[in-house]
Every structure is written in structure tokens, then in C-alpha cells.
Amino acid sequence: MALYVMIAAGTAALAALVQTVPAGGGTEYRLSRGSRRQVRNGLCLVTIFIVLFALAACRMNVGNDYAKYVEFMHLIACGAYEYVPTEAGFNLLVAVLYRLAGGENFLLVFAVFAFFTLWLFLKTMYEQSDSFGWSFFLFMTFGFYFSTFNTVRYYLALALALYSVKYVLKGEWGKFILLVLLGSSFHKSMLVVIPLYFLASLAWKKWQLGLMALFCTTFFFLQDFYLKAVVFLYPSYEDTEYLEGGISWFNILRCLGVLVFSLLYYKQAVEGSRRNRFYFFCNLGALVLYTCCSFLPIITRIGYYLNVTQILFIPAVLAKIGDKKQKRFWSVVIGLAAAGYFGLYLLRAGNDGIRVLPYQTFMFHDMVPILSDVN
């Protein structure tokens, strides 16, 4: 746990030194910046990337499904695709990397996923956030980085989804769809962002929100129908524990907190901004999913495609607060709340379903036996 705290604190301190162009800043702003700032930004970003990539790439047996992924990779190497539930993109990447490595090098696969997942998150925050330092701080304290140690396919898709937001906001739907299709070849749940991000991009009127609220009531009395739809999309979930839903209180409280904060400054920060309005409706949609669809399996994963925008939305609202005292007050409140959330995350980090603690590395630990080894 101490290692994770030091990594989070150290990289967040470096991120605070990164000064980026505010989202929506023009060319004149870019040209007016000196090269010294660019060099400092580059050094900080490279250092952050190396530290976080090394921690992720060197891990061994860290993550709830680490051994399961090693088993899937072994089956892919053996050509036993009928026993592998993973998507074609993942299967192809594993086959290519194993061929290049000359054997079953699962560490290489995890390292490649860590590289691109982390690169996409950092690139998104650097290009699309009003404050890279704030976005990165929230990225670490909300547990997004350490959660990438689990379900590596999903978190690569999540990083792609967050990056694709810029195409939604620009109305470049062709590029958005292509990126979604690419991500869905690694985790097909990413397909849900097509309707979800489209709905969040609309300028909703009150009567339309009323109709949507009426539709959401169907989640309470048509649960069997929606469960059948999930099984149709994910046949491997049938008759497994994955079909068990559950209320995600932490995500509900986090969404509520972000929405209340944004509503306090709705007119000056959200109402006139297409970008911030998109983030607002993403978080409202996530809250609806967590409260109305708790019966659906792994609803958290679907909701994350929406509430991951919090790392961009919170800095965007803070940037619009004109009063310095209010801005300082909310900065302290958000910082303390995020740090508290991180503390709670670390306390649960060793539990089943998370298991990113204790940290182990291939340099000092051996791989646990996988199912194929036992049989």
C-alpha cells in the first residue's frame, strides 16, 4: 500500500508542473508559450509514463483476473479458441506477440496493454483537459490507474472511449465509430458508447428528459428482458456469478457529488458549453445506470464509460469559477474528497474482485499455477 501511495503522490506532484493549453485554446495561445515550458512538460510526462508503465509492466499475479488471462493466452497459443471467450482483436494480438517472442511470454502481452492504455489516458488528459494536473490527480485517486491491473482488455477500451470523446464533440462521427469498432475488437462492451455518447451529446429539453425518465422506469419491471439481452450479447455469462448485479454505492455517491458541484455553477460552467454539457449528461446517465440498473451484471463497467469523464469534467468546472475564494474552497474540498476516496480504495484493494494488493513483481515472485498446469 505504501508503494502505491508514494507512486500516486510522486506522479501527481510531477503532473502539477505540467502546464497545458486549456481545452478550446487557440493557435495564438500555443505560439505564445516558450520552449522552456514545453521541455518541462515533456520531462514530467515522460517521467510519469515511465514510472507508471514500469509498475504495471513488471507486476506478477497482481489483478483479480491475472491468472485467468494467462490461461486464455495459453489456450490461444495452443489454438484452442473454442475455450477462449475473448474478442478477436485480443486473440490476434496475443498470437502475434507470442510469435514475435518465440514462446508464451505473457509478461510481454501485459506490458503492451499497459503501454497503450496508459499512453491513451495521458494523451487524452494532456489534450482535452483544462488542467492536466487536476485530471491526473483524479485519475490516480479515483483508482482508474490501479484498476488497469484488472481486465486489461476493458481498460484499453475505456481509454479509447475517453479519447474518442473529442470526435463526438467535434461531430466527427465517422472517426468516432471507427475508434469504437477498434476498441470493441478487444472488449465488445465498448459498443455501448455509441448510443450513450450520442445521447449525452444532445441538447436535452425538459420534456425530453421527462420522457427519458419514464423510459428508465422499464428497468424496474422488465428486468428479465434486459437480463436476456445481456446473455444474448455475452453468452459466457449464462448460469455464472457474472449475472449477479449489485448496487455500487461508491460510484453513486461520486456521481452525486460531481453533479451537485456542477449544478452549483451550471449557468457559468455548463449551460453555454457543449463540452461541459456532454460531461454533465454522461454523469447523469451514469447515476441513472447505477441506481436503476443495479440488477444488470457488471453494470459498473458500463457506467465507467460515462463517469470516467469526471477526470475532465471536474477541472472544467473549476476553471469556470471566477471567484478566487470559492475556487480555492472547492479545490480543497475536491482534493480532500478525492484523497479520502483513494484511501478507501486502497483499504479494499486486496479484496476479491480487485486484488491489486499486495504488489508482486516477476523479479522476485513466480507465476501461480494456471488451470492448464493443474490439469
Side-chain angles (χ1 to χ4, degrees):
M1 184 182 296
L3 174 65
Y4 288 179
V5 173
M6 289 189 294
I7 291 291
T11 53
L14 286 173
L17 300 176
V18 177
Q19 293 180 295
T20 57
V21 179
T27 305
E28 294 181 0
Y29 184 97
R30 291 180 181 275
L31 295 177
S32 68
R33 302 298 121 187
S35 60
R36 182 178 298 179
R37 174 174 295 180
Q38 295 172 356
V39 171
R40 183 177 61 192
N41 285 352
L43 288 174
C44 290
L45 288 168
V46 169
T47 303
I48 290 170
F49 181 86
I50 290 174
V51 171
L52 297 186
F53 171 70
L55 189 71
C58 293
R59 74 187 192 278
M60 172 77 79
N61 304 323
V62 179
N64 188 56
D65 50 10
Y66 192 96
K68 185 180 294 183
Y69 266 103
V70 175
E71 171 72 13
F72 290 159
M73 295 177 205
H74 172 70
L75 294 173
I76 292 170
C78 296
Y81 291 98
E82 64 272 19
Y83 301 108
V84 180
T86 48
E87 291 80 0
F90 175 81
N91 299 345
L92 177 61
L93 180 61
V94 170
V96 170
L97 291 176
Y98 273 19
R99 177 66 63 87
L100 293 175
E104 295 187 25
N105 191 335
F106 56 86
L107 291 172
L108 175 62
V109 178
F110 284 120
V112 168
F113 271 91
F115 181 94
F116 286 104
T117 301
L118 183 57
W119 176 73
L120 281 166
F121 272 121
L122 292 179
K123 181 177 176 63
T124 301
M125 290 184 282
Y126 186 77
E127 293 180 353
Q128 300 182 39
S129 176
D130 285 323
S131 170
F132 178 83
W134 262 115
S135 289
F136 183 83
F137 174 74
L138 297 172
F139 172 67
M140 297 299 291
T141 54
F142 283 175
F144 286 115
Y145 167 69
F146 294 105
S147 294
T148 63
F149 296 175
N150 277 309
T151 322
V152 294
R153 294 161 32 248
Y154 169 76
Y155 278 92
L156 175 61
L158 184 66
L160 281 166
L162 187 62
Y163 183 75
S164 74
V165 166
K166 72 174 187 177
Y167 296 123
V168 174
L169 297 176
K170 291 179 180 179
E172 297 178 355
W173 294 102
K175 293 180 180 179
F176 168 68
I177 295 295
L178 287 175
L179 204 57
V180 171
L181 292 177
L182 172 63
S184 66
S185 70
F186 291 94
H187 205 282
K188 56 188 174 184
S189 67
M190 189 178 174
L191 292 172
V192 302
V193 305
I194 296 178
L196 292 179
Y197 284 6
F198 172 74
L199 291 173
S201 69
L202 299 177
W204 289 84
K205 297 179 180 179
K206 291 182 179 179
W207 67 269
Q208 293 173 323
L209 288 173
L211 288 177
M212 182 56 69
L214 186 62
F215 169 76
C216 289
T217 62
T218 64
F219 292 122
F220 295 106
F221 56 85
L222 292 178
Q223 294 186 4
D224 289 340
F225 169 78
Y226 289 115
L227 282 172
K228 289 179 180 178
V230 169
V231 172
F232 175 78
L233 293 173
Y234 290 91
S236 59
Y237 283 0
E238 190 169 12
D239 298 326
T240 68
E241 71 277 7
Y242 291 115
L243 280 183
E244 297 178 4
I247 298 178
S248 180
W249 291 110
F250 283 101
N251 284 303
I252 289 175
L253 292 174
R254 205 171 77 198
C255 286
L256 276 174
V258 171
L259 288 171
V260 169
F261 170 59
S262 63
L263 283 172
L264 293 174
Y265 299 95
Y266 189 85
K267 287 188 175 181
Q268 64 192 90
V270 179
E271 191 173 44
S273 171
R274 184 168 185 265
R275 174 177 62 110
N276 293 347
R277 191 172 63 242
F278 172 85
Y279 297 150
F280 178 84
F281 283 125
C282 278
N283 282 274
L284 181 60
L287 180 62
V288 170
L289 288 177
Y290 289 132
T291 53
C292 300
C293 305
S294 60
F295 64 93
L296 290 175
I298 326 228
I299 191 62
T300 303
R301 292 184 182 178
I302 299 175
Y304 268 21
Y305 285 120
L306 296 172
N307 72 4
V308 70
T309 59
Q310 291 172 358
I311 67 176
L312 302 177
F313 188 32
I314 293 173
V317 175
L318 278 173
K320 293 293 184 179
I321 301 177
D323 187 280
K324 291 184 178 179
K325 289 185 178 180
Q326 292 185 33
K327 190 171 186 175
R328 191 180 302 116
F329 169 78
W330 283 110
S331 295
V332 171
V333 169
I334 293 170
L336 291 175
Y341 186 94
F342 185 52
L344 291 174
Y345 175 84
L346 290 180
L347 289 175
R348 300 181 299 119
N351 295 351
D352 289 339
I354 305 177
R355 290 176 58 188
V356 296
L357 281 176
Y359 182 79
Q360 297 181 355
T361 172
F362 69 87
M363 291 178 281
F364 304 109
H365 300 87
D366 295 323
M367 178 63 199
V368 298
I370 60 175
L371 186 61
S372 295
D373 295 333
V374 174
N375 294 336

